[in-house]
Amino acid sequence: MSAVQRIASLTLNPAIDQTVVAPGFSLDSVNRATSTQSDAGGKGINVASFLARFGHPVVGLGLLGEDNEAMFTQHFQRVGIEDAFTRIKGATRTNIKIIDPPTNRITDLNFPGAQTSAHDLEAVERALMMAAIDGLDWLILSGSLPLGLSDDSYLRFIKWARMTGCKTVVDTSGGPLKEAIAAKPDVIKPNVQELREYLLAPLASPEDVADAARTLVEDGISMVVVSMGHQGAVFCTKEGAYHALAEAPKIVTTVGAGDAMVAGVVHGHVEGKSLEEMSRTAIAFSIGALGEIGPRIPEPAQIAELETLVRLSPI
């Protein structure tokens, strides 16, 4: 392993992820749940949890509602995330995931989140400055923005990171993705639909996605990773591009799979892996998360086994 690198993961719109297992779930009918599970979630918190599981020092930043913070603080203590979240009035939202095991269909009901303001964003920025006193190598910006924050809210963090030499990873969508790409973070991880919406292009094949990713790399982004669901993912840098694909041994839920891919990419960078090795690791993280209920990932030994399932094709 290379020298220890410190990572910060920012989540401005976290959520309690309530996963409900309801066999035969259908709309406009009475459905019966066989189990339910609630987890502290939000894209950046998931990423931080996966990285902490692999032994990386991670600080969590963002906004948490005071009314139901206990689940989050307990989770941070349990998995080893340094808690630098800013507390705000109200409650953190709950997102509901309904799983139908016979069909593997998943229905998401995502809520908008608490009302926030520019003042709250400034408080998060101050928390980042404090966290960076001990040194910071990576800043991960993940997820949607809560009510009250503008699409360019990630820009101040990307600009700060560039000035301090901290590498940035962005995983968001829509207007925030467009604004972030303009600021040229080091790594972006859209899914294929998010990239289609940004480019206004169909991107029908992995080859199309690779061509689009190369354009973004040539424009100043060091690495572009595009997740494509059952079609795997495309990983692109100046050194080349790979289409990575693997069949998940078990699919329980898709919750956290994209976040696990982000964690795998950062883990690969910290470990000094090549693009080929990093692609295998990121896919293994992702398919490992598919087999777990809630934002969880298998043990490192199991991830190593999953890496052997990944098929890579230069593209």
Side-chain angles (χ1 to χ4, degrees):
M1 181 184 289
S2 59
V4 173
Q5 297 184 29
R6 195 157 177 262
I7 303 164
S9 184
L10 186 146
T11 314
L12 293 173
N13 202 17
I16 294 173
D17 287 330
Q18 183 178 5
T19 304
V20 179
V21 178
F25 174 79
S26 63
L27 299 176
D28 297 321
S29 65
V30 176
N31 295 276
R32 298 188 182 279
T34 57
S35 66
T36 183
Q37 175 177 305
S38 294
D39 296 283
K43 293 181 71 64
I45 290 174
N46 294 344
V47 174
S49 300
F50 299 146
L51 287 168
R53 185 168 180 76
F54 271 68
H56 297 287
V58 186
V59 55
L61 299 151
L63 300 170
L64 281 180
E66 294 174 336
D67 293 354
N68 56 352
E69 67 171 321
M71 178 178 289
F72 292 91
T73 56
Q74 292 167 9
H75 175 75
F76 299 152
Q77 293 168 3
R78 185 170 61 252
V79 303
I81 296 171
E82 181 184 339
D83 181 5
F85 273 82
T86 300
R87 271 58 175 181
I88 60 175
K89 292 181 179 180
T92 298
R93 63 183 177 148
T94 296
N95 288 340
I96 300 172
K97 318 291 182 184
I98 303 172
I99 301 174
D100 178 11
T103 62
N104 282 330
R105 289 185 303 180
I106 299 171
T107 302
D108 289 356
L109 186 59
N110 290 347
F111 289 81
Q115 181 71 41
T116 58
S117 67
H119 174 76
D120 296 320
L121 196 63
E122 291 167 1
V124 174
E125 190 173 24
R126 290 193 296 271
L128 175 61
M129 303 303 108
M130 291 297 296
I133 290 176
D134 295 327
L136 203 58
D137 299 282
W138 289 88
L139 174 61
I140 304 165
L141 309 167
S142 300
S144 61
L145 299 175
L147 297 171
L149 296 187
S150 61
D151 285 350
D152 63 356
S153 294
Y154 283 138
L155 294 190
R156 66 178 68 195
F157 300 104
I158 297 172
K159 291 176 180 177
W160 170 87
R162 182 177 294 114
M163 289 189 298
T164 60
C166 177
K167 294 182 175 63
T168 48
V169 182
V170 174
D171 180 14
T172 187
S173 60
L177 176 62
K178 181 178 180 180
E179 295 284 351
I181 287 176
K184 305 295 187 295
D186 293 280
V187 182
I188 60 171
K189 204 291 302 170
N191 64 37
V192 66
Q193 183 56 35
E194 292 162 350
L195 190 59
R196 285 175 183 140
E197 291 171 359
Y198 169 73
L199 295 173
L200 300 178
L203 303 181
S205 68
E207 289 77 14
D208 293 340
V209 171
D211 288 341
R214 286 190 188 95
T215 299
L216 292 170
V217 169
E218 290 168 359
D219 200 34
I221 296 173
S222 297
M223 184 176 194
V224 177
V225 179
V226 185
S227 54
M228 302 181 68
H230 68 277
Q231 289 185 285
V234 168
F235 298 79
C236 183
T237 68
K238 288 183 178 179
E239 285 67 48
Y242 285 99
H243 177 217
L245 186 64
E247 184 174 344
K250 181 182 180 183
I251 300 177
V252 176
T253 175
T254 57
V255 175
D259 308 328
M261 188 174 292
V262 172
V265 167
V266 175
H267 172 72
H269 274 287
V270 172
E271 293 286 312
K273 292 178 181 285
S274 67
L275 177 60
E276 179 180 354
E277 294 168 333
M278 196 183 310
S279 301
R280 290 187 186 279
T281 297
I283 290 290
F285 269 53
S286 185
I287 63 174
L290 290 173
E292 305 284 336
I293 291 182
R296 290 170 176 77
I297 198 170
E299 297 284 349
Q302 292 176 268
I303 293 295
E305 291 179 8
L306 292 174
E307 288 178 347
T308 65
L309 304 178
V310 180
R311 304 188 300 277
L312 285 182
S313 304
I315 192 171

